[in-house]
Amino acid sequence: MGRTVAVLSDLHGNLEALESVLRVLDDAGIDERVCLGDLVGYGPDPECCIERSRSTFRAIVAGNHDHAAAGLEDLNYFNPVAKEAMRWTIRQLGPDHKEYLSKLPLVQHVEHCTLVHSTPREPEIWDYVMTVDDALRQRESFTERICFVGHSHVPFFFEYSPQGYTIPQLPRLELKPDCRYLVNAGSVGQPRDGDPRACFCVYHPDEGILEMERVSYAVAKTQQKIITAGLPHYLAQRLGLGA
Ligand code: ZN
């Protein structure tokens, strides 16, 4: 078997989801783990998720929630629920963790892939890739074969071909030699595609294969922690819905 790289995004302080995914990766003998940012925000375990990420990932890029928690981003960017959760998160983090988050790079390159939280075109603007036009705008903004993004918490494959583009079906994709790819790895800690299971992507560079994976975790435990912490109840609800 060839090498394997697991791409995890949007952990959002959900330790149960993160630990369940890492257990699966260990059991499967996955070689490398990288992270597309948003280690914190929304979830009840920001410090534990930072510590676990620090010791686990070969590369991590910053998400907008990481920058907000580090004081680099205006909180008015967030909707009321996200803002309330971010104020709570900021109170939990010590200066060491805030400094760590503030120093995460916006873009990294691993295994001929670009890693970025939002878009390769303007990583610091935190735009979303939601439509075909959004995806097409990114085409010339990265030079690697694959660019992995997160941010919307909705997984997708997008294939740039010499003739134009296609949107390959999840969950498995065989890469074509003359194509390049934009891939959203979904979210480990707060999926929003209607499936509450943690989502991530596994890249097999030698075989040229991408696989979107799902892992169940103890959602009820995270929900209880959210309530106990005094975070907005909606954040517990949405985890159960994957919304
Ligand atoms: Zn996020």
Side-chain angles (χ1 to χ4, degrees):
M1 200 175 94
R3 290 162 306 137
T4 41
V5 184
V7 183
L8 280 58
S9 190
D10 293 274
L11 318 179
H12 283 296
N14 186 337
L15 189 63
E16 286 71 33
L18 177 59
E19 292 293 359
S20 296
V21 168
L22 294 179
R23 247 191 319 274
V24 166
L25 299 180
D26 289 345
D27 291 348
I30 300 290
D31 299 311
E32 301 274 9
R33 293 134 186 74
V34 300
C35 180
L36 304 177
D38 276 4
L39 313 184
V40 304
Y42 300 129
D45 285 307
E47 296 217 290
C48 293
C49 284
I50 292 173
E51 283 305 316
R52 194 70 161 100
S53 295
R54 227 176 187 173
S55 62
T56 298
F57 294 112
R58 170 174 162 194
I60 309 180
V61 293
N64 53 314
H65 286 255
D66 303 321
H67 269 193
L72 300 177
E73 204 68 50
D74 187 352
L75 294 195
N76 290 322
Y77 169 92
F78 290 107
N79 67 47
V81 168
K83 196 189 289 182
E84 187 182 338
M86 184 46 67
R87 289 212 180 93
W88 181 91
T89 301
I90 288 169
R91 290 199 299 274
Q92 309 304 311
L93 297 180
D96 172 55
H97 284 146
K98 285 179 184 158
E99 196 194 344
Y100 174 75
L101 293 178
S102 76
K103 291 193 168 147
L104 292 174
L106 286 170
V107 182
Q108 296 236 55
H109 303 278
V110 171
E111 292 282 353
H112 304 292
C113 298
T114 299
L115 311 178
V116 63
H117 184 69
S118 57
T119 68
R121 189 176 146 98
E122 290 177 302
E124 69 287 354
I125 305 294
W126 313 116
D127 273 340
Y128 293 88
V129 180
M130 304 292 275
T131 65
V132 167
D133 281 347
D134 295 341
L136 289 175
R137 263 196 295 279
Q138 308 304 322
R139 186 171 191 146
E140 306 309 328
S141 301
F142 66 99
T143 54
E144 315 272 26
R145 188 179 191 195
I146 306 173
C147 176
F148 287 101
V149 301
H151 197 34
S152 72
H153 302 201
V154 176
F156 66 72
F157 296 137
F158 193 91
E159 182 176 84
Y160 305 101
S161 62
Q163 301 78 27
Y165 70 90
T166 50
I167 303 172
Q169 269 191 359
L170 302 173
R172 188 175 188 279
L173 177 64
E174 287 183 31
L175 305 182
K176 297 180 187 146
D178 58 344
C179 292
R180 293 166 61 245
Y181 297 87
L182 185 67
V183 176
N184 191 308
S187 170
V188 169
Q190 195 197 74
R192 293 180 192 162
D193 61 343
D195 183 342
R197 294 176 300 165
C199 181
F200 59 97
C201 189
V202 176
Y203 177 40
H204 305 258
D206 301 324
E207 290 91 347
I209 288 170
L210 289 168
E211 277 176 299
M212 216 62 81
E213 309 264 5
R214 305 304 288 234
V215 169
S216 301
Y217 71 96
V219 176
K221 188 170 173 190
T222 310
Q223 288 174 318
Q224 192 52 53
K225 284 184 179 178
I226 288 171
I227 305 297
T228 305
L231 283 159
H233 285 211
Y234 170 64
L235 294 175
Q237 259 173 33
R238 72 188 301 180
L239 285 186
L241 303 169

